[in-house]
Every structure is written in C-alpha cells, then in structure tokens.
Amino acid sequence: MRALTAAAAGLAAALALVFAITAIGAPSGTTSPKPLLTTVPKHP
C-alpha cells in the first residue's frame, strides 16, 4: 500500500510541475538566423 501511495504522490508532483511550466509559457525571444555548425570545418 505504501508503494501505491508513493507512486500517486510522484505522479501528482510530476503533473503539477508540467502544469506549472505550461502556465508560465514559452520564453519570449528570437532565434539566430545563422545555422548551427554540426561538423568540423575542413582546413586546406
């Protein structure tokens, strides 16, 4: 029974965290127009 209570408490905490992040919303800002480099440039 203790395990079920602990699982319910963990689920409630996780849902509360998700709802809190959702309520805050995404941060406002702009993204860089330059693409990210995914490979090392080759030197001649």
Side-chain angles (χ1 to χ4, degrees):
M1 193 65 176
R2 248 188 269 176
L4 183 61
T5 305
L11 181 62
L15 285 175
L17 181 64
V18 168
F19 285 136
I21 293 174
T22 304
I24 292 171
S28 60
T30 58
T31 58
S32 173
K34 296 181 180 179
L36 294 175
L37 294 176
T38 56
T39 58
V40 177
K42 294 181 181 178
H43 292 289

